[in-house]
Amino acid sequence: MITLIAEYILPEKFFYDAQTIVFDIYNEAGFKGSYPLTMSFYKYTLLGKLPFNVVGIIQLCFYYFILYKIGIPKDFHVFTLKNLVMYLAFLMIAIFIAMPSKEFITFLYISQIVFVIRSRQIGLDVALLYSFFLLIVFGVFFRSYFALIPFISIFLYLISKIKYTNRTLGILVTSILIIVLFSVTHSIINGSYFSDLARNSVNEIREGSADANSMIIPPLANTNSFAELVNTFYSFFSVNFPIVELKHFLSPRILMFIIWQILFTVIFVVRFSWAINKREYKVLWIFYFLFSYLAIQSVFEPDLGSAIRHKIGMLPLIYYVFYYDSFSRKV
């Protein structure tokens, strides 16, 4: 129902991307870059010719079919905090995928990783090599930061092999430090930090706009590596544990984003600590991919809304780590 009526009830800003993708005013459609590739997808599949709500219904069918093939949790009908996070995620799917969307491309592509890694016919080494290949190719042709995920996740795996008191906290901090290291290296070579390329450049244009009231504004001017380090830690928690955004509690939409994000982060971290203690090797790699993605968001995401929307594209991985030990049906 939400998908059918979204075009009539949601603010116009929700459709800016969809309109850019479908109308392609500057003839940008191509096969490299998130916008050009998405434009080509909707152009050649003819989905771009359909009303947005029809596109949304078609896309929802793909979403739910893929999640069904991953598995159905035994207790999905029971009201728990974990299920609440997923119920809200489904609501956000209905909102963000009720139109042509780059996240639909991400969802379809990234879902392969779950099926490959959990396959009983494919060894973990081969599954990881294929997953690395998928992510690097996606980085080259779609969003460049996806190519960083394999490298960060390998570092996280190596760190996890060291025995120390709180490996969960160690993994979290290490993921942030690694993305800062990559950012500083990029600055030395190319003269700009990752956050300057993405978050800061976008927010400078939108500053003061009513459409950007959940912008992430780091505390320090990004003039040196120490500032990039501090800003990245600040942004990581602004994106993944956004208590600071509670100042927008009068906005129901932002409040829902905040609640969802805080619950997601808490449950994600707890489930990772269980998995690493139980040595669930296959699922741990999907956790490493997600930790890497969360760290990457801390330098690339301009605002909380964008961060949530982009996580919807990663939902196959999130869904799997939430329920891998409680599926009532298998692939």
Side-chain angles (χ1 to χ4, degrees):
M1 177 62 71
I2 292 175
T3 300
L4 285 173
I5 64 175
E7 191 174 359
Y8 307 105
I9 62 174
L10 292 177
E12 186 181 358
K13 62 183 176 181
F14 274 78
F15 299 91
Y16 289 164
D17 268 11
Q19 292 165 355
T20 300
I21 289 166
V22 169
F23 297 134
D24 189 12
I25 297 173
Y26 302 107
N27 195 27
E28 297 175 272
F31 295 95
K32 188 172 182 181
S34 59
Y35 272 114
L37 201 151
T38 306
M39 289 170 176
S40 293
F41 173 82
Y42 284 98
K43 176 181 178 180
Y44 293 116
T45 61
L46 302 182
L47 286 172
K49 302 291 185 181
L50 300 175
F52 283 0
N53 53 6
V54 176
V55 173
I57 293 297
I58 293 171
Q59 292 179 164
L60 274 178
C61 291
F62 278 95
Y63 260 73
Y64 293 135
F65 177 74
I66 289 172
L67 294 178
Y68 168 78
K69 293 299 292 182
I70 290 174
I72 300 174
K74 295 175 184 177
D75 61 349
F76 202 53
H77 62 289
V78 179
F79 186 84
T80 63
L81 285 180
K82 182 174 67 173
N83 288 344
L84 175 62
V85 170
M86 204 52 59
Y87 299 159
L88 290 174
F90 286 175
L91 174 62
M92 289 186 289
I93 287 175
I95 293 172
F96 289 128
I97 311 300
M99 63 200 80
S101 167
K102 290 178 286 185
E103 274 50 70
F104 180 60
I105 307 293
T106 304
F107 186 99
L108 293 180
Y109 190 89
I110 292 299
S111 64
Q112 298 177 73
I113 293 175
V114 175
F115 293 112
V116 168
I117 286 185
R118 70 173 296 183
S119 172
R120 296 177 182 177
Q121 287 73 45
I122 302 174
L124 180 58
D125 291 345
V126 173
L128 286 177
L129 287 174
Y130 183 63
S131 298
F132 293 163
F133 173 76
L134 286 175
L135 290 164
I136 291 171
V137 168
F138 204 50
V140 170
F141 289 97
F142 197 73
R143 284 191 175 121
S144 58
Y145 58 67
F146 275 92
L148 296 173
I149 293 177
F151 302 101
I152 299 175
S153 62
I154 290 172
F155 276 109
L156 298 184
Y157 166 76
L158 294 175
I159 291 296
S160 73
K161 305 302 288 183
I162 302 172
K163 294 187 180 297
Y164 50 95
T165 304
N166 194 329
R167 284 185 292 176
T168 301
L169 179 61
I171 291 293
L172 190 153
V173 172
T174 300
S175 65
I176 301 173
L177 292 176
I178 292 170
I179 193 62
V180 171
L181 177 62
F182 283 157
S183 180
V184 170
T185 302
H186 187 274
S187 175
I188 293 171
I189 296 173
N190 294 311
S192 57
Y193 296 105
F194 284 161
S195 56
D196 291 327
L197 292 173
R199 182 186 62 230
N200 296 345
S201 61
V202 171
N203 283 345
E204 283 176 5
I205 298 173
R206 304 189 308 163
E207 191 168 1
S209 168
D211 292 340
N213 52 3
S214 66
M215 279 197 319
I216 296 167
I217 305 175
L220 300 179
N222 223 42
T223 55
N224 54 55
S225 299
F226 176 75
E228 178 75 347
L229 174 67
V230 172
N231 290 341
T232 301
F233 269 91
Y234 174 87
S235 299
F236 180 88
F237 287 101
S238 294
V239 167
N240 297 298
F241 202 77
I243 295 177
V244 68
E245 298 299 336
L246 284 171
K247 61 188 177 183
H248 298 296
F249 70 94
L250 293 178
S251 169
R253 175 177 57 84
I254 296 179
L255 184 60
M256 183 185 75
F257 289 166
I258 294 169
I259 293 171
W260 184 88
Q261 184 61 73
I262 292 174
L263 289 176
F264 162 77
T265 301
V266 171
I267 294 170
F268 175 77
V269 169
V270 169
R271 288 191 64 77
F272 173 74
S273 65
W274 292 348
I276 199 167
N277 288 331
K278 293 178 181 179
R279 300 181 181 180
E280 302 273 4
Y281 294 114
K282 280 195 170 184
V283 75
L284 278 175
W285 274 101
I286 297 184
F287 273 110
Y288 297 147
F289 291 157
L290 285 171
F291 267 115
S292 303
Y293 185 77
L294 299 185
I296 287 169
Q297 283 195 306
S298 66
V299 292
F300 283 96
E301 296 294 0
D303 58 71
L304 180 61
S306 296
I308 298 288
R309 186 177 73 249
H310 293 157
K311 279 188 177 73
I312 294 302
M314 301 295 285
L315 195 62
L317 304 188
I318 294 171
Y319 182 77
Y320 182 66
V321 298
F322 266 45
Y323 296 109
Y324 72 91
D325 54 353
S326 61
F327 286 132
S328 59
R329 66 172 302 279
K330 306 296 181 183
V331 173

